[in-house]
């Protein structure tokens, strides 16, 4: 099962020359270093990008935006008989799925992947003591029954149209089992993914993690026990350079070969790079489900007021921003749903640039303009902290634009940025941001924003900081719709509920929509087979299809 994180095909025929079949190393530049490599406990794009070469979810969305199996023989469905509706003890309905693990799946130390590994993954995902960010959603999996080494049953405690994505992630029981069972509370610290990430027994993909230099680079080498399509590239080096200007310099100097769209350069930087050096690289722009936005915090007395949130959006000239910075290639967002998604609803409330309307909303909310700054009835200035990832040139530029535009409506903005590993690993997870937090959510197709908007998914110390509702958003009407849409199996009825969700989102603005990002892939001329997806599952899920035409 995958929580919310972090397709025009570019694949070419896989006819390889003898020269291209020789040993190859691919150096990949990344703008973030992952805060960890645990497949369940870490939820960011950097970790997902690297792990997808070595450890993949049981069921994921493929390049065609349809579900595919990685650690199962066939995706369970009502149509193929591997899923069925059942009556639960309390009289409500749930779902039972029967899943088979392939015989040719092995961990990097040669141990077969079995249902015991699925059981460990299930235990870790659903254990409140561990600190899984996706705990609340994982609890949908009510029970796991092992039939034998290769077959198991998953029981869901409710009806959900995403039922066949609720299958546990395999975890190596022979490596991690004792560590988890001896002390689940400290497992996040004792796990081999943290203390010995180069242990090959942790991975079952086409690659295994071979070297880790914290904060700098991670190297992956071919898994000798991988039985699927054999990768042509022997070694992958993931080099993290969090300053995107420096990352571009690394590309031009040749110290990295490839900048992936998932977390390389921003679109504006790639547009300029293509103008100057386009003849040296293959550049591809992939629009998708990557939602750049500003998380608010309902703990902030200013942002807790809907009028303030709406005023901020009316006071931001987002169309000018995307036109000037991104040549219009990234559409302004009205809600968190991309125009590319089947659930997109065009007729929601829109916030055109209107600074006068923004000022009036603030006045209606009890603010008065004094010396160019809005103050509330107690004389407190309308001053808001704006955070994002330090060193990200584009986000820092967007911050400056917003700071300038909001000054015109009497709002002071204090910029406070942090390294990505601190920002994502600590600040957001523990809701330490004090104002607005700029970042992006990747999602899967037709994905209800349950982890980010459901009130029960607000991270707290009491729930082990699980959930991704960093905003602290609570709306009973939204909760009702999020629960209702999940249980609706009829496609057309489900779309109507999605439209209601988007209407509330556009009115409430729990987060301030900016734009939907287009991933910008900058590849060397000799790299082929890379297939961008446009959704949360990165192109590295098919790394074994990549190849080189070097002579």
């Amino acid at each position: 099962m995958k929580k919310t994180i972090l397709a025009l095909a570019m694949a070419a025929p896989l006819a390889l020359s003898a020269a291209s079949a020789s040993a190859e190393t691919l150096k990949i530049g990344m703008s973030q270093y992952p805060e960890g490599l645990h497949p369940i406990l870490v939820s960011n794009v950097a970790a997902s990008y690297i792990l997808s070469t070595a450890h993949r979810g049981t069921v994921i969305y493929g390049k065609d935006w349809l579900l595919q199996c990685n650690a199962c023989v066939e995706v369970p469905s009502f149509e193929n008989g591997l899923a069925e509706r059942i009556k639960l003890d309390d009289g409500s309905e749930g779902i039972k799925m029967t899943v088979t693990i392939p015989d040719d799946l092995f961990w990097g130390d040669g141990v077969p992947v079995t249902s015991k590994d699925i059981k460990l993954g299930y235990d870790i995902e659903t254990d409140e003591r561990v600190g899984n960010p996706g705990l609340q959603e994982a609890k949908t999996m009510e029970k796991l029954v092992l039939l034998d080494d290769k077959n198991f049953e998953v029981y869901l405690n409710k009806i959900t149209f995403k039922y066949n994505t609720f299958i546990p992630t395999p975890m190596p029981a022979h490596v991690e089992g004792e560590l988890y069972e001896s002390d689940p509370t400290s497992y996040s610290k004792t796990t081999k993914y943290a203390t010995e990430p180069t242990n090959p027994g942790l991975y079952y993909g086409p690659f295994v993690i071979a070297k880790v230099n914290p904060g700098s680079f991670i190297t992956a080498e071919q898994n000798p026990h991988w039985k699927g399509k054999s990768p042509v590239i022997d070694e992958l080096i993931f080099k993290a350079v969090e300053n995107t200007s420096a990352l571009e310099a690394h590309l031009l100097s040749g110290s990295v070969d490839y900048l992936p769209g998932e977390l390389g350069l921003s679109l504006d930087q790639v547009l300029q790079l293509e103008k100057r050096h386009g003849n040296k690289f293959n550049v591809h722009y992939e629009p998708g489900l990557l939602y750049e936005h500003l998380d608010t915090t309902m703990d902030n007395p200013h942002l807790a007021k809907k009028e303030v949130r709406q005023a901020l959006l009316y006071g931001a000239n987002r169309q000018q921003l995307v036109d000037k910075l991104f040549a219009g290639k990234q559409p302004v967002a009205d809600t968190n749903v991309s125009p590319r998604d089947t659930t997109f609803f065009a007729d929601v409330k829109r916030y055109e640039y209107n600074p006068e309307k923004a000022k009036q909303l603030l006045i209606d909310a009890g603010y008065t303009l004094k010396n160019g700054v809005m103050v509330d009835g107690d004389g407190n200035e309308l001053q808001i902290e704006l955070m994002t990832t330090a060193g990200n040139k584009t986000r820092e530029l967007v911050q400056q634009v917003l700071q300038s535009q909001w000054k015109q409506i009497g709002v002071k903005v204090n910029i406070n940025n942090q390294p990505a590993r601190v920002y994502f690993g600590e600040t957001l997870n523990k809701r330490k941001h004090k104002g607005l937090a700029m970042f992006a959510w990747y999602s899967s197709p037709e994905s209800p924003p349950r982890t980010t908007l459901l009130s029960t998914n607000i991270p707290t110390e009491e729930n082990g900081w699980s959930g991704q509702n960093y905003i602290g958003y609570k709306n009973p009407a939204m909760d009702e719709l999020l629960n209702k849409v999940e249980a609706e199996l009829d496609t057309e009825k489900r779309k109507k509920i999605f439209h209601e969700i988007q209407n509330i989102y556009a009115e409430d603005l729990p987060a301030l929509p900016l734009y939907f990002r287009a991933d910008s892939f900058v590849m060397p001329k000799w790299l082929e087979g890379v297939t961008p997806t446009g959704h949360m599952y990165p192109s590295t899920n098919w790394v074994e299809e990549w190849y080189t035409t070097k002579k």
Side-chain angles (χ1 to χ4, degrees):
M1 190 199 74
K2 189 71 175 180
K3 48 194 171 291
T4 302
I5 314 198
L6 76 251
L8 296 175
M10 294 180 63
L14 298 179
L16 306 181
S17 66
S20 68
S22 61
E24 293 288 353
T25 294
L26 179 65
K27 297 169 290 182
I28 302 174
M30 300 165 43
S31 60
Q32 293 175 19
Y33 187 88
E35 79 246 24
L37 289 171
H38 196 288
I40 294 173
L41 304 184
V42 177
S43 178
N44 65 30
V45 176
S48 176
Y49 187 82
I50 295 172
L51 277 174
S52 294
T53 69
H55 190 293
R56 294 166 178 172
T58 302
V59 174
I60 67 170
Y61 281 91
K63 296 174 287 187
D64 55 4
W65 290 39
L66 300 176
L67 290 175
Q68 70 169 53
C69 273
N70 286 322
C72 53
V73 172
E74 188 175 4
V75 178
S77 70
F78 296 125
E79 291 73 21
N80 62 21
L82 296 176
E84 59 181 290
R85 298 173 77 134
I86 58 171
K87 283 288 185 182
L88 302 175
D89 293 341
D90 62 1
S92 61
E93 279 195 302
I95 295 174
K96 168 189 168 184
M97 294 179 288
T98 304
V99 186
T100 300
I101 302 169
D103 290 328
D104 59 353
L105 215 53
F106 296 86
W107 297 101
D109 55 7
V111 175
V113 177
T114 71
S115 55
K116 292 179 182 177
D117 303 315
I118 294 291
K119 175 63 164 58
L120 179 60
Y122 169 81
D123 289 343
I124 294 171
E125 287 187 58
T126 57
D127 192 335
E128 294 184 358
R129 297 168 293 177
V130 170
N132 171 23
L135 172 66
Q136 300 306 318
E137 292 303 292
K139 285 182 176 179
T140 299
M141 298 183 290
E142 181 74 22
K143 183 171 66 171
L144 184 78
V145 175
L146 306 187
L147 302 177
D148 55 39
D149 279 353
K150 292 294 181 179
N151 296 278
F152 61 93
E153 295 171 341
V154 184
Y155 290 78
L156 307 186
N157 56 22
K158 61 184 176 183
I159 300 296
T160 167
F161 77 96
K162 289 269 189 177
Y163 64 93
N164 42 18
T165 65
F166 284 92
I167 300 176
T169 297
M171 294 293 293
H174 66 294
V175 178
E176 294 285 286
E178 187 175 340
L179 293 171
Y180 162 74
E181 290 163 7
S182 63
D183 187 1
T185 305
S186 63
Y187 171 66
S188 63
K189 297 181 178 66
T190 61
T191 170
K192 295 288 186 181
Y193 289 99
T195 65
E196 192 187 341
T198 58
N199 185 324
L202 298 172
Y203 310 103
Y204 73 90
F207 288 83
V208 295
I209 303 302
K211 298 176 186 175
V212 173
N213 189 325
S216 180
F217 70 86
I218 292 173
T219 298
E221 297 175 353
Q222 284 194 23
N223 178 358
H225 299 284
W226 171 253
K227 305 302 180 183
K229 180 178 177 57
S230 181
V232 171
I233 297 169
D234 295 272
E235 180 183 57
L236 301 166
I237 300 176
F238 303 95
K239 186 171 185 177
V241 182
E242 294 189 351
N243 183 293
T244 51
S245 296
L247 181 59
E248 179 178 344
H250 277 273
L251 176 72
L252 296 175
S253 70
S255 64
V256 299
D257 303 313
Y258 167 44
L259 301 183
E262 290 91 345
L263 70 172
L265 297 179
S266 58
L267 186 141
D268 61 308
Q269 290 174 293
V270 174
L271 287 168
Q272 293 302 314
L273 177 69
E274 190 175 21
K275 286 180 181 178
R276 300 191 305 268
H277 307 285
N279 61 322
K280 297 180 182 179
F281 305 100
N282 288 330
V283 179
H284 175 76
Y285 302 99
E286 179 73 13
L289 308 182
L290 187 54
Y291 171 52
E292 190 80 9
H293 67 286
L294 301 168
D295 253 20
T296 67
T297 172
M298 296 300 167
D299 295 336
N300 183 299
H302 299 301
L303 293 172
K305 300 173 184 176
K306 182 173 69 173
E307 295 89 348
V308 173
R309 302 194 297 272
Q310 291 182 342
L312 289 173
L313 210 52
Y314 276 121
N317 194 339
R318 295 171 296 151
Q319 189 62 56
Q320 182 188 69
L321 189 150
V322 299
D323 287 344
K324 288 192 173 182
L325 292 185
F326 313 123
K329 289 183 179 289
Q330 300 191 144
V332 168
D334 295 311
T335 70
N336 60 328
V337 180
S338 164
R340 191 172 174 184
D341 197 283
T342 58
T343 65
F344 174 71
F345 183 49
D347 297 327
V348 295
K349 181 173 183 175
R350 285 188 167 81
Y351 294 82
E352 74 286 352
Y353 179 54
N354 191 333
E356 292 307 314
K357 190 168 186 176
K359 289 179 185 177
Q360 188 57 52
L361 274 168
L362 294 176
I363 292 170
D364 293 343
Y367 292 88
T368 305
L369 191 64
K370 291 185 178 180
N371 300 319
V373 180
M374 290 287 181
V375 296
D376 64 17
D378 297 323
N380 299 309
E381 291 185 337
L382 181 41
Q383 189 168 206
I384 296 174
E385 180 183 81
L386 175 55
M387 301 186 75
T388 194
T389 45
N392 186 304
K393 179 181 175 182
T394 300
R395 283 179 173 157
E396 290 174 347
L397 200 57
V398 171
Q399 281 181 314
Q400 292 166 21
V401 171
L402 293 175
Q403 184 182 47
S404 175
Q405 292 178 347
W406 286 337
K407 183 179 180 180
Q408 305 307 311
I409 63 170
V411 178
K412 279 188 176 181
V413 172
N414 298 322
I415 292 174
N416 177 22
N417 296 337
Q418 294 179 333
R421 59 186 176 277
V422 178
Y423 185 57
F424 293 115
E426 179 76 10
T427 301
L428 287 175
N429 283 347
K430 295 187 177 180
R431 300 190 62 232
K432 291 183 178 180
H433 63 296
K434 298 175 182 177
L436 297 170
M438 186 191 309
F439 63 102
W441 282 123
Y442 247 135
S443 64
S444 59
E446 198 176 355
S447 182
R450 289 176 55 84
T451 63
T452 58
L453 294 181
L454 201 64
S455 62
T456 54
N457 282 331
I458 298 173
T460 64
E461 188 172 3
E462 289 70 29
N463 67 19
W465 305 109
S466 64
Q468 295 170 313
N469 185 346
Y470 307 142
I471 299 161
Y473 178 64
K474 298 177 183 179
N475 184 328
M478 179 66 85
D479 283 353
E480 182 181 353
L481 288 171
L482 288 171
N483 290 323
K484 185 178 178 182
V485 74
E486 186 184 41
E488 182 54 69
L489 300 180
D490 183 276
T491 302
E492 291 307 312
K493 290 180 181 178
R494 193 164 62 244
K495 283 184 179 179
K496 291 180 181 178
I497 303 172
F498 267 112
H499 296 170
E500 292 182 61
I501 291 171
Q502 289 167 63
N503 276 330
I504 293 179
Y505 193 100
E507 174 64 27
D508 275 6
L509 294 180
L512 306 186
L514 292 177
Y515 46 83
F516 289 99
R517 279 168 40 187
D519 287 338
S520 309
F521 294 76
V522 184
M523 293 172 280
K525 295 284 187 179
W526 44 263
L527 179 63
E528 300 285 352
V530 177
T531 309
T533 67
H535 54 63
M536 69 180 281
Y537 295 100
S539 52
T540 43
N541 276 286
W542 301 273
V543 67
E544 62 270 32
E545 297 178 4
W546 300 5
Y547 67 97
T548 169
T549 56
K550 280 183 180 178
K551 301 296 184 183

